[in-house]
Amino acid sequence: HIATGYWRLDGDMARFGGNTSSVTQGWYQVIEQGLWRSRRSGSNGSITSFIQVGSADKDTALFTNHLGAGLVWAAPFSSRPNDGIGAAATWVQLSSAPEAGFDSPAELVAEGYYKFAFNRHFSFVSDLQFFRRPGGMRTHPNVVVFTPRLVVSF
């Protein structure tokens, strides 16, 4: 699957440098591709990849370019048909305008998760993220964040 889009925001907004703008705009593209599907009867195991790219107006946006990619493995074990595991990384280019307040040109985030499904409606998701240069600041130490959550789906 491929999705391409254009976005636009109209209205008065501040531009870096003190001026105002009546519009800001950008584009994005998302590509998803199935890489593998289990051939076992009754199994819904699969591996899917994705890539995301995007760009925004450098005169009004804090994040000017984005590149992300990852993998999702559905039903990684035959005994756990509703579980999932995934990994991704995303990179954002930050505005170089002095008014933006960044001292780093980019931020990188890497993430991994495991979804343990109790049944079709309840699951526990553990997520681990690593931030390099969080907040676009070289002076901020790298950060590791663990987020456990209970998910209810209808």
Side-chain angles (χ1 to χ4, degrees):
H1 298 91
I2 298 176
T4 302
Y6 165 80
W7 61 268
R8 176 184 169 120
L9 177 63
D10 293 305
D12 291 334
M13 62 201 77
R15 292 173 64 97
F16 298 121
N19 296 326
T20 60
S21 178
S22 62
V23 65
T24 188
Q25 56 195 347
W27 61 270
Y28 64 91
Q29 186 164 51
V30 178
I31 301 171
E32 295 180 0
Q33 176 64 50
L35 302 176
W36 172 80
R37 182 164 302 281
S38 175
R39 295 177 191 233
R40 287 181 299 193
S41 177
S43 173
N44 59 347
S46 64
I47 297 176
T48 304
S49 64
F50 66 89
I51 296 175
Q52 306 165 331
V53 295
S55 185
D57 184 351
K58 67 179 176 59
D59 294 324
T60 57
L62 294 174
F63 309 110
T64 57
N65 291 298
H66 169 257
L67 175 63
L71 295 170
V72 176
W73 186 1
F77 307 107
S78 59
S79 62
R80 309 277 323 146
N82 296 312
D83 284 12
I85 190 169
T90 188
W91 169 87
V92 291
Q93 182 178 14
L94 304 169
S95 173
S96 60
E99 300 85 1
F102 301 119
D103 70 2
S104 174
E107 179 182 81
L108 175 71
V109 179
E111 176 178 12
Y113 79 91
Y114 189 87
K115 178 180 110 177
F116 180 89
F118 298 108
N119 56 42
R120 289 184 351 191
H121 301 290
F122 296 96
S123 59
F124 174 77
V125 180
S126 58
D127 186 90
L128 187 66
Q129 297 178 336
F130 169 78
F131 293 80
R132 182 171 185 265
R133 297 187 178 154
M137 303 300 288
R138 290 183 177 131
T139 55
H140 292 175
N142 295 337
V143 176
V144 175
V145 177
F146 175 69
T147 308
R149 60 187 191 271
L150 184 62
V151 178
V152 179
S153 303
F154 297 97

